[in-house]
Amino acid sequence: MKGSGSLSSLRAALDPGRYWSRAGEQLQTTTSGAAVARFGQYAVLPLLAIAGGLGPSYFGIRWTFAILVIVMYALLRSRSGLFGMVVLGAMLVYLPHQMDTFERGIMFDIALYALLGIGLNVVVGYAGLLDLGYVAFFASGAYLYALISAPQFGGGFDVGTSFWIVLPMAMVLAALVGIALGVPVLRLRGDYLAIVTLGFGEIIRIMINNQDGVTNGPVGVFAIPKPHFGSTELSGPVELYFVVLAGCFVAAFAAERIRDSRVGRAWEAIREDEDVASSMGVNTTAYKLMAFAIGAAIGGGGGVIYSAKQSAVFPSDFNLDVSINVLALVIIGGMGNVRGVILGAMLLIGLPEVLRDFSINIAFIHLDNLGADYRLVIFGAALVAVMILRPEGLLPARRRQAQFEPADVLEPEVAT
Amino acid sequence: MSGEATSAVAPSASAGAPSAHLRLDGVVSGYGQIKAIKGISLHVETGEVVALIGANGAGKSTTLRTISGLLRPSAGEISFEGKRIDRVAAHDIVRMGISHAPEGRAIFGRLSVLENLRLGAYQRNARAEIEQDLERVLTLFPRLRERVKQDGGTLSGGEQQMLAIARALMARPRLLLLDEPSMGLSPVLVETIFRTVIEINRAGTTILLVEQNAAMALQVARRGYVLESGAVALEASAAELRASDLVRKTYLGEA
Amino acid sequence: MQEWIQLLIDGITIGGVYAVIALGYTLVYGVLRMINFAHGELFMMGAFTGYYTLNGFEKHSSLNDSVPVLTIAIAIVLGMVVAVTLALVMERIAYRPLRRAPRLAPLISAIGVSILLRNIMLRATNAQGKVYPKVFPRTAVEIGEIRLLYVQIFLIVLSFVFLGLLYLFIQRTKAGVAIRAVAEDRDTASLMGINVDRTIMTTFAVGAALAGAAGVVYGMFVTTATSGMGFIPGIKAFTAAVLGGIGSVPGAMAGGYFLGISEAISTKFFGAQYKDVVAFVLLVAVLIFRPWGLFGKREDKRA
Amino acid sequence: MKIGKRALLLAAMLATLTMVLAACSSGTSSKDKTATAGAGGAKTPAAGATTAATKAATGAAGSITVKKGDKIKIGISTTLTTDNAELGIPIRDAALLAIKTKGTIKGFGIEGDPQDDGCAGPASVTAANKLIADGVVAVIGPMCSGGAVAALDPLSGANMLTVSASATNPSVTAQGKKNFFRTAWNDATQGAEMAKYAYTTLGKKNVVLVNDQSTYGKGLMDVFKASFTAAGGKVASEEAVTVGEKDFGPTVTKIKGESPDLVVFGGFIAEGAVLVRQLKDAGVTASFMGADGIADQKYIDQSGGAAEGSYVSRGPKPTDTKLYDAFAAAYKAEYKKDAGQFTEQATDATNIVLAAIEKVATVDGSGNLVIDRQKLIDAVAATSYAGASGQIDFDAKGDRKVVGAVNEIDQVKSGKLTRIQ
């Protein structure tokens, strides 16, 4: 009990938002309390910094990334309006030019996963449908582009269709796949839905793996051409990073607009209590399918870009880990919140990679290959730590933050 | 866990009123930032039946949940038989002699009637005594005896209410918290339930009763409190309350 | 015909393993409404404990040859102890602080624990699969074309025994009834004087003990332990638990065997590469007609 | 209060941003200390918009300069996580040993830079990007075929010399990337040789094929099937196992029902060892044959004795094993473990790369070592090297030419891999 007490106070110290709101009355009366709270506000930054890869120079770590994470956290958290967004945009556009190949690769991956996260967030965060098979849509998009565009010796059909035509096609295809998945499972709730969608993701991967005639099986599809923009070939990670970044902005904008519309309110009603929503006349079937379709379309688009960037796709690229990663970044970032998704992607996708360089060289301690060997160990521990310290995610959606404010009860409420 | 619980059982600061069985002093409690009760003070003496009446959302159930430890008060003190209990965990409060039959019955629907009843005596170990008590409550509620093997969820509303009370009695409480025992029951059943409540009280159990059915509650109770938006609006003997304008107009539906 | 019986036996063998692991999922889900993704890793840790124990006996004594019953029993008990300890630590550190957090937070925490344990063992073993010493003779009972290894019989019987014991525990003991009560309504359970925290820990411990023991016996059956060996059975067990109706003890058992047998039979028809497809299609089919699983009860509106 | 906080935050952010930019501009140059893109690169930047990007990229084309006092970095892309690390770690160790043995080139020290490629496409691409950014001169790896196919995209973009010791699938060289070579044998060669041996030498006519659903395993079995049926043999059925599973009971039962006289497995140790034992447990009497994915003592150890008698194809090998024995002895002396599968190819790959560096590297006026990427690749293409894994000459696609070697077949006898062909 004692441990949990100190833990929760630590958590409170690290979470200024909650600290302010919960202990507001108490704090404003005592200046020392306010000082603690203010300290808490900034205490979270070093934590993120370490997570994102910063540290004193005797930790072998990438500075650029660490600073990027911190600045992004500050910007995203402060909701600093237009100016902040402009700064953020400028950073996201400018920084990759200053990065090396590895970091650009990571930036691409982060942006791609942020895009997937925005898509999954529609399903999980907005409509409250737990989907563990999101990779299915990603895979459909990726394979559609791969098969249509790769030459025959690379396992494709060499149809010669341009990236820009396949992109919307893939989104429509994925949306249809999403609806096809949605129809049989609409009656299911919560964790039943989770396992069925997980199974669906696996089925898609297994089918791709075994339908050699169509997909070239485990050998994969390769020599996938890069897209062109005008006469420019978008060949490097930076160019495609911009494509995916643009995709993120469009998707994020669209997702937030939809959330704030009538559709979004219907989703919210379904998420809070499906029976009530249904009795209030919300067509739950249609709205749930719509969430699946929108989420899937974004995933399919992400797949096309992935395929183009990777130049080779394999069934094993689309395993359960992808779904889990996307879900984890949505939750770690703060469910129902696009800003959180971006931050979640930075941590979840960026962290294991920047940890490759992690080493400790303090005095006589020389752990040079610490990151290379133990990065996944550290990563697993970090997942647990972030969740314990910030159970609502790094940047919880405003409404949720209030909703999940814990009561000081001795016995927990039954989670519903 | 238990270490903290014992240390919390310290002599009450308000031990100045020695005879008080249960005492609440300026208790503030609720869910998160929403405080459903805002400084309630009340007391229940040994052997009494005390009624808490009030409208929906007045904080009646929250009061009971705070007493039984389901909610932790953010301010104020609660003491029972001279010991502070406001930091004691719910399961230890049961051991101290308070039993709570919660609102909406809260029967374990997938457990049999018998299992439900035995759970009531979860804290106790004396097997023979438990069997005795089982016999006693089944005599008190003959309807339950016919259904001991059935799942709790299959009982009718009235039977579930009986089960909830019977189950609470299985803990051999010195104080019984009853939350809306008449809710959703037919008048005949309400009558039966309340007759039983009186019987239980006569057998020596102090009762704190929360009711919307103020007429019924005030027939059974000796004293009563009227709660309005989380605070005590009125405290008096049952007869006085029945006669008061506030109660007559608002809770007894008289013109 | 004999091939069919053999397939059935194969299915029951792996199905029993799924069932035993699935119980851990279903119990924890029952009390916490939480998918303990790291549960399969407890199974893996059990398998490693079994290896280290039996290998220790092999290297430093001749007990494996003289009294294999004893060494196997010790290995199983140690496997349980290690798994239970880990589960309790896990619960305390990674899950309990999240008891009142949004419901997906513990899921991610559990995924973190799963990644952590897998990679710790990968490093600890330097990615080398560990091979069990020969404790169990690899001889078989033969009836016509049907062959059953002794260790396989042991595995099958033991899974039945575990399931039976667990069923009795849940149905008949005070602690078992407390678990069921907490699963149904945590608040009311605490009003009965049930210590909810302790009951949740009991639940984790029971599930972990089963997984740990299953890990040891399965390790003896397949004779190896690797860091990744818990992941797939974990997912399968999760599937089995849902198939049977998550939260339901008989459901988890039935789901495990159902899944194991359907995998065996679909291997015959479609090849092993499609067995998961068949399993998941069956799952969807079952859930379409019974959205709460084979043995699950309709969730009341609160869940 | 609120406004103040926000203003403070913005100020802090601006300050940080300035710092970022400063750190970056200096960071870039410091990062490229070991290896900077030389002037006169052959490859032209794709477009104006990407000029900045190309400039920052380390040695995207042209030549690499190793500053005086720095070390020559050799990238090693192999699998260090997941169960496949069983094969990946020894590959890394063999490459590191070769680097250590070589010591210096023209007075410059050499160091290995191992990166985890996860035996899969995405992680291999990340590892490749990392190695490019680290300024390595060449890459040994990637370990797996799928990873190699994907990683060749960034690696060839950087004109990076890449030599894999273990990526065997035909698809890897099918793209015709000029910077790629392999000391591993193309499965097209090995699969055909295995089929020939099974049909002709062993006289097996009815086989069951089992693959692990990986690029390598499935690819190899496809080649085997084509050659075996062309020769007149019959493939009774094609089965699969799932990587990570440990109980293949139903698959084994099905194989038993086919009554084959040979079971051929395409996959790695973890599954191969379990499969062979379960076949034996089930009373399947057919012989068992696997390939280089299981050609390792660990396969025998993990099978708990069931591997006895199984055939293991190791790809073409010289009949003279003097060089191999020397390597194996050195490896054992260094790591106290037997040299595993692909380690000899890994040491050869590393030695070829180091020899090529030695040949083309020049020390310039200021004492820096300059290595021209294209010349380095050309030097490797022209290699004729007698190594632990046999005579190595590359064809135009980067595959090994089969010269002076036969497909080695081992049989497990008394718990050891014993060469029988």
Side-chain angles (χ1 to χ4, degrees), chain B residues 194-225:
Chain B
F194 275 98
R195 212 173 296 133
T196 321
V197 168
I198 295 170
E199 254 179 79
I200 293 165
N201 177 244
R202 287 202 183 127
T205 309
T206 311
I207 294 174
L208 178 58
L209 173 69
V210 157
E211 256 305 341
Q212 268 191 300
N213 187 341
M216 203 48 125
L218 294 176
Q219 273 179 33
V220 182
R222 203 175 66 132
R223 288 191 304 118
Y225 292 85

Side-chain angles (χ1 to χ4, degrees), chain D residues 199-220:
Chain D
Y199 189 81
T200 314
T201 314
L202 297 177
K204 308 291 184 187
K205 307 292 178 227
N206 185 25
V207 302
V208 170
L209 307 182
V210 185
N211 72 73
D212 68 349
Q213 307 186 57
S214 73
T215 311
Y216 159 74
K218 180 70 166 58
L220 185 66

Side-chain angles (χ1 to χ4, degrees), chain A residues 1-2 21-22 25 402 405-411 413, chain B residues 1 4 31-33 65 69-72 88-91:
Chain A
M1 208 63 200
K2 194 153 181 288
S21 51
R22 181 170 62 176
E25 320 130 58
E405 198 64 45
D408 253 330
V409 271
L410 271 174
E411 297 301 334
E413 300 287 293
Chain B
M1 182 89 210
E4 194 189 85
Y31 305 87
Q33 287 165 299
R65 289 172 70 85
L70 288 178
L71 297 175
R72 181 178 283 184
V88 180
H91 58 263

Side-chain angles (χ1 to χ4, degrees), chain C residues 3 145 268, chain D residues 208 236 250-260 284:
Chain C
E3 191 182 355
E145 286 289 296
K268 169 72 183 161
Chain D
V208 170
T251 304
V252 167
T253 301
K254 196 176 169 192
I255 293 172
K256 194 179 178 187
E258 301 285 355
S259 318
V284 175

Side-chain angles (χ1 to χ4, degrees), chain C residues 218-293:
Chain C
Y218 187 69
M220 287 194 289
F221 170 52
V222 301
T223 72
T224 50
T226 57
S227 60
M229 75 185 288
F231 191 71
I232 292 178
I235 298 284
K236 294 290 174 61
F238 177 29
T239 311
V242 171
L243 190 64
I246 192 155
S248 154
V249 169
M253 302 177 187
Y257 286 111
F258 185 95
L259 196 65
I261 292 167
S262 73
E263 278 188 3
I265 290 171
S266 55
T267 299
K268 169 72 183 161
F269 275 113
F270 308 105
Q273 58 271 49
Y274 287 109
K275 70 180 162 48
D276 292 350
V277 174
V278 174
F280 283 121
V281 167
L282 280 173
L283 175 78
V284 173
V286 167
L287 292 182
I288 283 174
F289 292 104
R290 286 185 65 90
W292 50 90

Side-chain angles (χ1 to χ4, degrees), chain C residues 54 57-58 61-75 134-137:
Chain C
L54 292 174
F57 280 122
E58 185 77 11
S61 76
S62 58
L63 291 176
N64 277 349
D65 300 324
S66 50
V67 273
V69 180
L70 179 71
T71 57
I72 290 169
I74 292 175
K134 271 192 192 135
V135 186
F136 237 104

Side-chain angles (χ1 to χ4, degrees), chain D residues 54-337:
Chain D
T54 317
K55 203 172 76 191
T58 53
S63 61
I64 321 149
T65 305
V66 182
K67 291 243 167 62
K68 196 174 175 179
D70 286 344
K71 285 184 170 176
I72 302 168
K73 274 193 180 176
I74 308 289
I76 304 164
S77 168
T78 185
T79 303
L80 303 175
T81 53
T82 75
D83 286 350
N84 280 330
E86 201 159 45
L87 283 169
I89 291 172
I91 290 175
R92 175 195 68 187
D93 292 346
L96 288 175
L97 178 60
I99 289 169
K100 189 178 160 193
T101 311
K102 179 77 183 174
T104 57
I105 292 177
K106 303 206 159 129
F108 284 75
I110 320 164
E111 68 178 357
D113 182 359
Q115 290 298 329
D116 177 23
D117 68 15
C119 196
S124 297
V125 169
T126 309
N129 284 334
K130 176 80 170 71
L131 292 172
I132 295 167
D134 284 353
V136 301
V137 176
V139 173
I140 310 298
M143 172 167 143
C144 296
S145 302
V149 170
L152 273 180
D153 182 46
L155 288 172
S156 65
N159 210 22
M160 176 75 74
L161 170 63
T162 307
V163 187
S164 176
S166 52
T168 53
N169 193 276
S171 62
V172 185
T173 44
Q175 297 184 78
K177 301 284 190 189
K178 296 292 172 207
N179 62 319
F180 182 79
F181 304 88
R182 59 180 161 194
T183 54
W185 294 97
N186 190 322
D187 286 337
T189 311
Q190 193 189 191
E193 288 291 325
M194 277 171 81
K196 201 169 91 189
Y197 187 84
Y199 189 81
T200 314
T201 314
L202 297 177
K204 308 291 184 187
K205 307 292 178 227
N206 185 25
V207 302
V208 170
L209 307 182
V210 185
N211 72 73
D212 68 349
Q213 307 186 57
S214 73
T215 311
Y216 159 74
K218 180 70 166 58
L220 185 66
M221 288 305 99
D222 285 349
V223 176
F224 186 98
K225 185 185 178 187
S227 310
F228 194 74
T229 46
K234 182 184 158 224
V235 173
S237 80
E238 286 178 85
E239 302 301 326
V241 293
T242 304
V243 173
E245 286 190 359
K246 296 266 176 270
D247 176 19
F248 307 134
T251 304
V252 167
T253 301
K254 196 176 169 192
I255 293 172
K256 194 179 178 187
E258 301 285 355
S259 318
D261 48 18
L262 179 70
V263 177
V264 188
F265 174 68
F268 294 106
I269 298 165
E271 285 68 44
V274 171
L275 179 65
V276 73
R277 202 203 41 254
Q278 288 179 1
L279 285 169
K280 191 158 187 203
D281 286 346
V284 175
T285 48
S287 308
F288 189 82
M289 185 184 224
D292 39 5
I294 62 166
D296 194 297
Q297 185 62 32
K298 281 177 230 135
Y299 158 67
I300 301 164
D301 296 344
Q302 290 183 22
S303 74
E308 191 66 21
S310 54
Y311 300 96
V312 180
S313 161
R314 306 196 76 150
K317 285 282 166 60
T319 35
D320 174 13
T321 63
K322 217 164 51 200
L323 286 169
Y324 177 80
D325 295 341
F327 158 73
Y331 185 95
K332 183 148 192 178
E334 178 78 13
Y335 297 113
K336 316 286 176 257
K337 275 184 283 193

